[in-house]
Amino acid sequence: MADSVAPEPEAEPDVPTGDGASTGDGAPTAAPDANPATAEDFLPINGTDYVEFYVGNAKQAAFYYAHYFGFEIAGYRGPETGHPDAASYLLRQNDIRFVLTTGLGPDTESVRHQQKHGDGVKDIAICVDDARSAFNETTKRGATAVQEPEVIEGEDGRIVRSAIGTYGDTIHSFVERTDYDGLFMPGFDPYENEFLQTEPAGLRLVDHCVGNVYLGDMETYVNYYAETMGFKNMLHFSDDDISTEYSALMSKVMSNGDEIIKFPLNEPAEGEKKSQIEEYLDFYQGEGVQHVAMLTDDIIETVRDLRSRGVEFLETPDAYFDMLPERVGEIDEDIEVLRDLNIQVDRDPDGYLLQIFTKPQQDRPTLFYEVIQRKGARTFGAGNFKALFEAIEREQAKRGNL
Ligand code: FE2
């Protein structure tokens, strides 16, 4: 959650924009960023290339994503394709690509990662035209080098890939695919299963990926994205904006120049009880990706579809919908339909957005998903944070962690 909201110009005192008594209407005022690094586009970005997850059993997880979320299992890489150490499944839906990877022995990187963190995101990969330049330009500005540029050759051409580190054990690969026209990457073969029929659910692309970091680390990573990747601070919220009776958090959103890539960062703030960010950090055993938001052009259809497949979403209190017309004004959708499906709405100066959050998608209460439809709005639903947090806290209380 917590991605973002009320932006403020730098160097101004924190002015809470939410009205503490409601779900908060943070009227965002856009935050012009004075970061000089943005003036020079040393890291041109085409978009999210893929998100890779390290999981305990990729073969089974692939069917979970196919069944519940409507992904096509499009490719496979493993011992049979010349990769003896790990099995990976490529999932695809419109412009979203997920890769699920499981190591095949105890000393593989993915097994060690999964043992510590549980199933989770390892790599938010970014598509670039020049993976060598991306690596050189970011590392010379202080990015942590993870993978020197490597060329991966195959029948369908070549991929150049490099990678840098970010919070926790998470990385960003830079993927250059200008000389490649195959399925995904050399090493992946098409996945064939005539009995698996998946209908897409209307999920179109990755809208944003949110990271949870330790108290005191948000500023470190805000600076890291600004300095090493030239990202700007699009928005931020303080704990005055986002707090419930029990917990609070602070959030800032970093994005590249044209906002194709958006990385909100959450940091726990002092609260009466353990915040949901702390619960995540405890169970994930470190900093990592809290949620991945996927964009749809018709959230009502998508959520109906996902619910019919069995996807479980967080519940929004009825009172939220009673207050909705007053909070967001006129919208195209029927509020009773939104109430029925538990879809939330938030407005910002550019328009409004509709969103809903799933429950955690593995046994540890860590990673979850957001489904979002944007009708002009460029922000992240700060006005919904309070309602969302309260919903998450109800689940947290059931687990005995509140
Ligand atoms: Fe989000």
Side-chain angles (χ1 to χ4, degrees), residues 165-178:
T166 179
Y167 46 79
D169 291 325
T170 316
I171 66 169
H172 294 303
S173 284
F174 297 119
V175 183
E176 170 188 328
R177 46 176 73 256
T178 42

Side-chain angles (χ1 to χ4, degrees), residues 6 12 39 216 220 269 305 329 357 371:
E12 280 203 3
T220 305
D305 187 358
F357 299 87
V371 178

Side-chain angles (χ1 to χ4, degrees), residues 68-69 201 203 302-311 313 371:
Y68 281 115
F69 291 97
L203 300 169
T302 295
V303 171
R304 264 195 192 124
D305 187 358
L306 296 177
R307 284 189 181 280
S308 76
R309 296 163 190 254
V311 174
F313 293 97
V371 178

Side-chain angles (χ1 to χ4, degrees), residues 197-399:
Q197 308 277 344
T198 47
E199 286 297 319
L203 300 169
R204 205 156 65 70
L205 52 81
V206 172
D207 186 88
H208 59 274
C209 296
V210 181
N212 280 344
V213 302
Y214 287 115
L215 184 59
D217 268 5
M218 184 171 68
E219 215 49 48
T220 305
Y221 288 104
V222 163
N223 292 334
Y224 185 82
Y225 281 112
E227 286 162 14
T228 71
M229 296 174 74
F231 280 24
K232 60 182 177 172
N233 182 2
M234 216 180 133
L235 296 165
H236 79 244
F237 319 82
S238 72
D239 54 343
D240 294 320
D241 304 313
I242 311 172
S243 60
T244 66
E245 184 183 353
Y246 295 128
S247 67
L249 66 76
M250 291 172 283
S251 186
K252 289 193 177 188
V253 183
M254 300 305 289
S255 79
N256 73 319
D258 63 7
E259 299 176 8
I260 286 182
I261 301 281
K262 297 178 281 286
F263 293 146
L265 298 164
N266 295 328
E267 172 183 85
E270 298 292 327
E272 189 177 322
K273 295 195 178 178
K274 181 191 267 195
S275 84
Q276 59 182 274
I277 308 301
E278 286 173 278
E279 188 196 37
Y280 173 100
L281 293 166
D282 286 352
F283 277 89
Y284 198 71
Q285 293 279 299
E287 301 177 338
V289 173
Q290 179 207 39
H291 74 265
V292 175
M294 298 184 279
L295 191 75
T296 172
D297 293 331
D298 187 343
I299 196 168
I300 288 174
E301 273 314 299
T302 295
V303 171
R304 264 195 192 124
D305 187 358
L306 296 177
R307 284 189 181 280
S308 76
R309 296 163 190 254
V311 174
E312 292 184 297
F313 293 97
L314 290 177
E315 282 164 29
T316 306
D318 234 25
Y320 171 92
F321 295 96
D322 297 337
M323 296 164 58
L324 201 53
E326 184 189 336
R327 203 166 65 74
V328 300
E330 201 167 308
I331 56 173
D332 301 335
E333 294 74 16
D334 180 346
I335 287 184
E336 291 315 306
V337 173
L338 301 180
R339 184 196 298 267
D340 190 42
L341 293 169
N342 265 247
I343 296 169
Q344 302 182 342
V345 188
D346 196 35
R347 189 175 280 283
D348 74 16
D350 297 310
Y352 67 98
L353 60 83
L354 303 108
Q355 64 187 166
I356 190 167
F357 299 87
T358 72
K359 293 187 177 181
Q361 295 298 304
Q362 54 292 307
D363 292 306
R364 295 195 203 189
T366 53
L367 178 76
F368 59 89
Y369 291 94
E370 172 181 350
V371 178
I372 183 169
Q373 180 179 5
R374 294 185 178 278
K375 293 200 157 180
R378 292 162 56 226
T379 55
F380 301 86
N384 288 325
F385 283 8
K386 191 183 169 77
L388 175 61
F389 280 21
E390 286 170 348
I392 290 180
E393 281 169 6
R394 283 193 294 276
E395 298 292 318
Q396 202 180 333
K398 284 187 204 165
R399 293 188 286 266

